[in-house]
Amino acid sequence: MAIIKKTPEQIECMAAAGEVLVRTLDLLASKIRPGVSTLELDQAAERFIRSQGCTPAFKGYRGFPGSICASPNSMVVHGIPGDYRLERGDILSVDVGVVKDGWVADAARTFPVGPVSPVAERLLTVTEESLYLAVDQCVPGKHLGDIGHAIQRHVEKEHGFSVVRTLVGHGVGRQMHEDPQVPNYGKAGSGALLEAGMVLAVEPMVTVGHYDVRMGDDNWSIFSDDGTLAAHFEFTIAITELGPRVLTPWHQAKGGTRVAA
Ligand code: MG
């Protein structure tokens, strides 16, 4: 396993990609409502990303047809945008990748479509909180396992939901997927030592029921196997001497405060 560390200048390049990504998510947040199709969201995202001189990282990645992944309800991740029209009460994971000047940023949020059920509301809150707890672990001297441990403890021990085991976060840089893998579960103090210059895409994927998942007929979409709701939140995070730096700070953007809805 070779983890490619980034210089401060390279981290700035990734932050620039992240800024476009945050604006893309913000644009999508303003469009998400009952009746909108996931293809319409995809087209809006692609138009905006290209208008900024960037490219959508997912488009064509291993043949993926969309510019975003749009995964409603029991779909965990990797949903192909299409005819599906959002309904009031849905939750929708939107995952976006942006390439700017050869550097990739990767982030996701799960949005409520209008008012959602109490369990959906709690799932979104807990999963988002687990990402913030993970950010706190992204400091030099901690270990990879500390990230997964923080997520798993919050999600499973404290709230009784499940962390998906077979899908993990990843290093990110010039490539969308670099070493190391970043599981959302694990043992505190285990795994690779975190060092300044590492950039990680940390992305808790959480289900209400069991953590088993299955692939859909399109060979892309991943669903909770038991059909329960799933949520997914992701940041690209740089580990720096000064502590964690979120390069895709959608939580600070206009419309980034989901809780206010
Ligand atoms: Mg990712």
Side-chain angles (χ1 to χ4, degrees), residues 20 92 170 218:
V20 173
L92 180 72
H170 49 92
D218 58 16

Side-chain angles (χ1 to χ4, degrees), residues 218-238:
D218 58 16
N219 285 321
W220 274 106
S221 50
I222 304 284
F223 294 86
S224 66
D225 194 43
D226 61 9
T228 58
L229 291 175
H232 173 219
F233 288 83
E234 177 180 26
F235 283 144
T236 294
I237 306 165

